[in-house]
Amino acid sequence: MAAAEKPSRRIVLTGAAGGIGTMIRPLLAKIYPGLILSDKVEPANLRPGETFVAADLARPDEVAAAVEGADSVIHLGGYSVEGPWDTILQANIIGCYNLFEAARQAGVKRVIFASSNHAVGFYPRKRRIGTDVTVRPDSRYGVSKAFGESVGALYADKHGMIVTCLRIGNVGPRPLDVRRLAIWLLPDDLVQLIRIGLEHPDIRFEILYGVSDNASSWWDNSRARRLGYQPTGKSEDHRSHAEAEQARIGPDPVGDVFQGGSFCSLEFTNEIERAGP
Ligand code: 15L
């Protein structure tokens, strides 16, 4: 990483009790002790130095209380898969707006927004894309992530907030199936990307792919590399596991064509040839 700023110290982690929050909390704690954790429910096993503030993202007053006094926010909170419109609306649309607006009012300097590959899920797997493509969401969830990226751009341009959107693939100890061989993200690599977002002096607004060093990746993540990202996870090391799991899942005529997989086939009523760019 180029000459980094001193790490921020009052950092709020939303979605701290969720799947990704639970995986990266111990890794973040080594670099940023004293994290302020927020979620609707208190995460298990609070470490010494960690504090918890309960907040429902749909409630502006609770979000304001969670980010008070913070200089940075890692926003993982929200609904993490496809869901009914009202669920997505409250948690990911209203919730995301509430988060950015509360952060602005609290004078937060940096926000890391957990976007998702599902903002661009209708790109075909045979196409390699960068972060500059038009969004092609594959679900209401994907739409909410595209919305979050737009809100991030607005707060960066209008208010000078330093915003990094991470289009996360799939975070875990190893890729779960063949699709995840392309989009897998090792938790340590996600923490690297978060560190870049929290500390790099050159960031104003960025969209980066949250993906490890996967040979079969569909994404050009050269901007992340230029900012110092050196992913260590390599999905090929887990190919036999992923292929064995894939054999149990079976084919998905729509999902297997597009990057978003089953998020694309869910509720799909189009013809494959007419979907995607
Ligand atoms: C996501 O954005 C979800 O949060 C996660 O649960 C996975 O479904 C992941 O995408 C994926 O595409 O595998």
Side-chain angles (χ1 to χ4, degrees):
M1 189 186 306
E5 281 174 23
K6 202 163 156 280
S8 313
R9 288 297 161 207
R10 271 189 78 78
I11 301 170
V12 174
L13 176 69
T14 72
I20 297 181
T22 303
M23 276 188 263
I24 66 170
R25 250 179 69 211
L27 305 174
L28 283 173
K30 288 189 208 151
I31 310 163
Y32 304 109
L35 280 180
I36 300 153
L37 309 178
S38 183
D39 210 311
K40 285 210 266 196
V41 290
E42 185 165 330
N45 312 324
L46 241 65
R47 285 175 186 68
E50 284 179 336
T51 44
F52 174 69
V53 188
D56 178 344
L57 289 166
R59 308 248 345 213
D61 51 336
E62 294 184 9
V63 182
V67 301
E68 194 188 332
D71 50 50
S72 304
V73 177
I74 305 165
H75 182 42
L76 306 182
Y79 200 70
S80 65
V81 288
E82 178 62 316
W85 170 240
D86 196 56
T87 303
I88 299 292
L89 175 66
Q90 299 302 328
N92 291 14
I93 304 265
I94 294 173
C96 181
Y97 178 78
N98 287 345
L99 185 281
F100 274 98
E101 179 54 17
R104 181 188 73 79
Q105 289 189 21
V108 168
K109 294 183 190 65
R110 290 184 182 246
V111 172
I112 316 294
F113 170 60
S115 182
S116 166
N117 70 91
H118 296 291
V120 288
F122 262 117
Y123 280 91
R125 295 187 187 193
K126 59 178 193 248
R127 180 150 160 205
R128 186 173 166 83
I129 57 172
T131 52
D132 55 346
V133 292
T134 309
V135 291
R136 299 301 285 246
D138 57 23
S139 48
R140 292 174 289 277
Y141 168 72
V143 169
S144 76
K145 293 302 182 179
F147 171 83
E149 292 179 0
S150 290
V151 177
L154 174 67
Y155 277 72
D157 289 332
K158 189 155 280 195
H159 304 299
M161 197 178 269
I162 298 170
V163 177
T164 305
C165 301
L166 300 177
R167 273 188 197 156
I168 296 173
N170 187 250
V171 185
R174 57 185 175 168
L176 297 172
D177 53 27
V178 166
R179 175 175 163 268
R180 269 61 169 255
L181 285 171
I183 69 166
W184 175 58
L185 177 60
L186 182 71
D188 303 76
D189 291 342
L190 173 56
V191 170
Q192 253 199 68
L193 288 165
I194 290 172
R195 281 190 83 173
I196 289 170
L198 290 177
E199 298 174 31
H200 202 291
D202 297 341
I203 293 179
R204 288 158 58 187
F205 173 77
E206 298 287 347
I207 299 175
L208 309 175
Y209 282 107
V211 64
S212 283
D213 185 18
N214 305 333
S216 56
S217 174
W218 300 312
W219 305 325
D220 174 358
N221 215 14
S222 49
R223 177 62 182 153
R225 297 268 184 171
R226 283 201 299 282
L227 291 169
Y229 182 45
Q230 294 182 308
T232 56
K234 293 183 190 300
S235 63
E236 285 306 308
D237 296 348
H238 308 279
R239 180 168 279 280
S240 52
H241 166 77
E243 286 180 345
E245 289 301 309
Q246 187 67 45
R248 286 147 49 115
I249 299 167
D252 174 349
V254 175
D256 291 348
V257 172
F258 300 104
Q259 298 186 3
S262 61
F263 283 61
C264 298
S265 46
L266 197 68
E267 303 169 24
F268 187 81
T269 58
N270 197 3
E271 293 155 31
I272 294 177
E273 302 69 35
R274 294 174 59 83

Short mmCIF file of all heavy atoms in Angstrom, two decimals, residues 80-81 116-118 141 169-170 179-180 183 263, ligand 1:
data_model
loop_
_atom_site.label_atom_id
_atom_site.label_comp_id
_atom_site.label_asym_id
_atom_site.label_seq_id
_atom_site.Cartn_x
_atom_site.Cartn_y
_atom_site.Cartn_z
N SER A 80 -28.85 -10.06 3.61
CA SER A 80 -27.69 -10.48 2.81
C SER A 80 -28.02 -11.41 1.64
O SER A 80 -27.10 -11.89 0.97
CB SER A 80 -26.66 -11.14 3.71
OG SER A 80 -27.19 -12.33 4.24
N VAL A 81 -29.29 -11.65 1.40
CA VAL A 81 -29.68 -12.48 0.23
C VAL A 81 -30.95 -11.88 -0.38
O VAL A 81 -31.46 -10.87 0.11
CB VAL A 81 -29.92 -13.95 0.62
CG1 VAL A 81 -28.62 -14.66 0.94
CG2 VAL A 81 -30.90 -14.07 1.78
N SER A 116 -22.16 -6.01 -3.47
CA SER A 116 -22.19 -7.45 -3.79
C SER A 116 -22.06 -7.67 -5.29
O SER A 116 -22.45 -6.82 -6.11
CB SER A 116 -23.52 -8.04 -3.32
OG SER A 116 -23.72 -9.32 -3.88
N ASN A 117 -21.57 -8.84 -5.62
CA ASN A 117 -21.52 -9.27 -7.03
C ASN A 117 -22.91 -9.26 -7.65
O ASN A 117 -23.04 -9.18 -8.88
CB ASN A 117 -20.87 -10.65 -7.13
CG ASN A 117 -21.71 -11.78 -6.57
OD1 ASN A 117 -22.47 -12.40 -7.30
ND2 ASN A 117 -21.59 -12.06 -5.28
N HIS A 118 -23.95 -9.31 -6.82
CA HIS A 118 -25.31 -9.37 -7.38
C HIS A 118 -25.78 -8.02 -7.95
O HIS A 118 -26.82 -7.97 -8.60
CB HIS A 118 -26.27 -9.94 -6.35
CG HIS A 118 -25.90 -11.37 -6.03
ND1 HIS A 118 -26.05 -12.38 -6.94
CD2 HIS A 118 -25.31 -11.91 -4.93
CE1 HIS A 118 -25.60 -13.51 -6.41
NE2 HIS A 118 -25.13 -13.25 -5.20
N TYR A 141 -32.31 -7.72 -4.10
CA TYR A 141 -31.10 -7.58 -3.28
C TYR A 141 -29.98 -6.89 -4.09
O TYR A 141 -29.34 -5.96 -3.60
CB TYR A 141 -30.67 -8.98 -2.82
CG TYR A 141 -29.30 -9.07 -2.21
CD1 TYR A 141 -29.03 -8.55 -0.95
CD2 TYR A 141 -28.25 -9.69 -2.90
CE1 TYR A 141 -27.76 -8.65 -0.40
CE2 TYR A 141 -26.99 -9.79 -2.36
CZ TYR A 141 -26.75 -9.26 -1.10
OH TYR A 141 -25.50 -9.36 -0.55
N GLY A 169 -17.75 -11.09 -3.53
CA GLY A 169 -18.16 -12.36 -4.13
C GLY A 169 -18.79 -13.23 -3.08
O GLY A 169 -19.92 -13.00 -2.65
N ASN A 170 -18.08 -14.23 -2.63
CA ASN A 170 -18.59 -15.09 -1.55
C ASN A 170 -17.46 -15.33 -0.56
O ASN A 170 -16.41 -15.87 -0.91
CB ASN A 170 -19.10 -16.41 -2.12
CG ASN A 170 -19.79 -17.24 -1.05
OD1 ASN A 170 -19.28 -18.27 -0.64
ND2 ASN A 170 -20.94 -16.80 -0.59
N ARG A 179 -19.20 -22.10 -9.22
CA ARG A 179 -19.37 -20.65 -9.38
C ARG A 179 -18.48 -19.89 -8.40
O ARG A 179 -17.85 -18.89 -8.73
CB ARG A 179 -20.84 -20.29 -9.16
CG ARG A 179 -21.12 -18.81 -9.17
CD ARG A 179 -22.60 -18.49 -9.08
NE ARG A 179 -22.73 -17.11 -8.69
CZ ARG A 179 -22.83 -16.69 -7.43
NH1 ARG A 179 -22.89 -17.54 -6.42
NH2 ARG A 179 -22.89 -15.41 -7.17
N ARG A 180 -18.41 -20.36 -7.19
CA ARG A 180 -17.62 -19.67 -6.17
C ARG A 180 -16.11 -19.80 -6.43
O ARG A 180 -15.32 -19.06 -5.83
CB ARG A 180 -17.97 -20.17 -4.78
CG ARG A 180 -19.08 -19.42 -4.06
CD ARG A 180 -20.42 -19.46 -4.77
NE ARG A 180 -21.50 -18.96 -3.95
CZ ARG A 180 -22.42 -19.75 -3.38
NH1 ARG A 180 -22.42 -21.06 -3.57
NH2 ARG A 180 -23.39 -19.22 -2.65
N ILE A 183 -15.57 -16.43 -7.71
CA ILE A 183 -15.89 -15.23 -6.90
C ILE A 183 -15.49 -15.36 -5.44
O ILE A 183 -15.78 -14.47 -4.65
CB ILE A 183 -17.40 -14.90 -6.99
CG1 ILE A 183 -18.25 -15.95 -6.26
CG2 ILE A 183 -17.83 -14.75 -8.44
CD1 ILE A 183 -19.68 -15.52 -6.01
N PHE A 263 -29.28 -16.50 -8.04
CA PHE A 263 -30.02 -15.25 -7.88
C PHE A 263 -30.66 -14.86 -9.21
O PHE A 263 -31.68 -14.16 -9.23
CB PHE A 263 -29.10 -14.11 -7.41
CG PHE A 263 -28.73 -14.16 -5.95
CD1 PHE A 263 -28.04 -15.22 -5.41
CD2 PHE A 263 -29.07 -13.10 -5.10
CE1 PHE A 263 -27.69 -15.26 -4.06
CE2 PHE A 263 -28.72 -13.11 -3.76
CZ PHE A 263 -28.03 -14.19 -3.24
C1 15L B 1 -24.02 -12.37 -1.63
O1 15L B 1 -24.05 -11.19 -1.88
C2 15L B 1 -24.65 -12.93 -0.42
O2 15L B 1 -24.60 -12.04 0.67
C3 15L B 1 -24.08 -14.26 -0.02
O3 15L B 1 -24.96 -14.85 0.90
C4 15L B 1 -23.86 -15.18 -1.23
O4 15L B 1 -25.11 -15.53 -1.76
C5 15L B 1 -23.00 -14.47 -2.25
O5 15L B 1 -23.53 -13.22 -2.59
C6 15L B 1 -22.80 -15.28 -3.53
O6 15L B 1 -23.02 -14.75 -4.61
O7 15L B 1 -22.36 -16.42 -3.43
#
